[in-house]
Amino acid sequence: KEMATTAVGEVWVTATSGHGGGCDVRRLAFAYPLRLVSPGGDGGGGGGNGGRKTEAAKAAASAHRDVYVLNHGGGLLGGDRIALRVRLDGGCSVSLLTQGSTKVYRARPAAVAPQSTTTMTTTTTSISPRLAPPSAQLVVARVDAGGLLCVLPDPTTLFGGAAFEQRQRVTLCGRGAGVVLLDWFTSGRRARGEAWRFAAYESAVRIDVEDDEDEEVNEDDVEDGEEGEDDGEPATEEADGGSESGVGQKDGGVDGSRHRRHRRRQLRKRTLFRDAWSLRDDAQLPGSGGGDSESSYAWRVRPYHCFATLVLAGGRAARLARSALVAFAALPRVGGDARRRRRQQPGIDDDDDSEAPPRLVWTASPLVGLGPTTAGQEYGAVVRVAGVDTWEVREFLKLRLAGLEAEIGAPDLFSRAV
């Protein structure tokens, strides 16, 4: 019998030096049921070579790497938990890909000891079904200055009665760090009549920005022989007036006071974007054979069967973000003008306000909070889309990501992703 397991994985891509430069997978570690594969750049820690790389692999190092996130058995069993940590050095780009949709199998009831209830005349023994822990996936990533992380999996598909939780957190560190993150899911196995019959789906995305800033500090009225206060922050002091000693120079003021000026490096971190999906079936008891009837949330998502959130933030993702915002601004707005044009069509009743919902709807919103760069203001955007069929959403995403292949130097990316 298959048992739920916990797996931890790690990806570390670092810039290489020497002839040709580029980037290399320095560490690739994983445990069952998780498997990580990087074609042409398989790092140590689970690759079976103890971290040693062949000369051919070293020569193949480039500025972009693909890492496939795979699961033995083709999906997640009820209770499986995966934690993946990604570290990306500056100047490198990495795509996290899958070889197919992430399948989440039906949650099974956890083992519960029989409960006995005794009355004056009888003793009743019963077993109360209890939900097994949901399948879960955690992704924590750190992208250094100039790096670009592309999270482009196939959609998540939950079987009837399945429960799944996902948390993804990316920290952009320094100027020019960027992320392209796609989070999407389907209604389930429609061909088997399981559309919107999973028990629970929760997915949260968080993007943080971390900046190093030099702050100039003036300390007045410092007496001779007295040192400035130590606030515990790492500080690099520069003498006012060109002292070469590295210690703040004290100058006598006109009023006899003493002044010292130094520069202190401060770390500032803020949340740029936070978003979450939560669908729970109020009527279904997960893990007790549920998933055979339509869920209580199905009416909220009809007539669509695929939903996607695409985050484009910072660095080399800025051009894609601007393109999405411009394209959305050019769309005709739903309202009076569109309704009047429809009523002018032959055969349309003037009193008929009903309209068939479009097969695909989308929106784009700007992300604020990214600091200025040498090229001007840095842009970010979040694109949300819903479609009747998965293939329609897939084609839309390819359109929105047009230009990414050239940006990262991977001309065949879309043949392997999205």
Side-chain angles (χ1 to χ4, degrees), residues 202-418:
E202 293 188 0
S203 181
V205 177
R206 176 173 173 174
I207 310 295
D208 292 332
V209 178
E210 190 175 277
D211 295 323
D212 285 334
E213 294 185 346
D214 286 337
E215 178 185 33
E216 189 173 87
V217 179
N218 292 315
E219 296 182 1
D220 297 333
D221 300 323
V222 179
E223 298 295 336
D224 289 335
E226 197 177 311
E227 297 295 334
E229 294 183 2
D230 182 9
D231 57 4
E233 295 290 338
T236 302
E237 296 187 354
E238 298 178 357
D240 186 21
S243 171
E244 297 180 355
S245 65
V247 180
Q249 179 180 344
K250 299 177 181 180
D251 301 319
V254 175
D255 58 357
S257 63
R258 301 291 184 180
H259 304 276
R260 187 173 71 172
R261 176 181 298 174
H262 65 84
R263 301 186 68 84
R264 181 175 56 190
R265 189 180 183 186
Q266 279 197 330
L267 189 65
R268 187 174 60 142
K269 189 173 184 178
R270 61 189 184 278
T271 298
L272 173 68
F273 173 74
R274 182 181 292 177
D275 187 67
W277 265 96
S278 181
L279 294 175
R280 286 184 172 274
D281 187 5
D282 298 330
Q284 183 182 155
L285 178 61
S288 62
D292 298 326
S293 60
E294 191 173 71
S295 60
S296 59
Y297 58 79
W299 67 273
R300 300 176 182 269
V301 289
R302 287 196 192 98
Y304 303 109
H305 290 272
C306 184
F307 289 82
T309 301
L310 177 64
V311 182
L312 308 164
R316 287 180 277 174
R319 186 177 303 176
L320 298 175
R322 288 193 294 267
S323 175
L325 294 173
V326 170
F328 180 71
L331 289 178
R333 292 294 176 262
V334 177
D337 292 341
R339 190 173 292 110
R340 280 192 296 271
R341 287 194 297 270
R342 179 177 180 274
R343 288 177 176 176
Q344 291 172 0
Q345 297 177 5
I348 300 297
D349 187 354
D350 289 344
D351 296 329
D352 183 14
D353 287 334
S354 63
E355 294 185 25
R359 293 188 60 84
L360 186 141
V361 293
W362 71 285
T363 181
S365 307
L367 292 177
V368 297
L370 290 176
T373 65
T374 55
Q377 183 66 31
E378 207 165 16
Y379 286 87
V382 54
V383 178
R384 294 180 174 88
V385 57
V388 174
D389 287 319
T390 304
W391 70 266
E392 293 174 303
V393 176
R394 189 185 302 271
E395 292 303 314
F396 170 83
L397 292 171
K398 289 182 179 181
L399 179 63
R400 290 276 58 87
L401 293 172
L404 180 60
E405 292 178 326
E407 185 67 48
I408 63 178
D412 58 342
L413 175 65
F414 291 142
S415 66
R416 296 173 279 111
V418 187

Side-chain angles (χ1 to χ4, degrees), residues 41-60:
D42 192 17
N49 57 4
R52 297 185 299 274
K53 305 175 72 62
T54 65
E55 292 301 324
K58 293 180 180 179

Side-chain angles (χ1 to χ4, degrees), residues 96-98 100 102 151-155 168 182-184 418:
L96 296 183
L97 311 173
T98 59
T102 300
V151 184
L152 300 173
D154 286 277
Q168 299 183 86
L182 175 60
D183 181 21
W184 58 327
V418 187

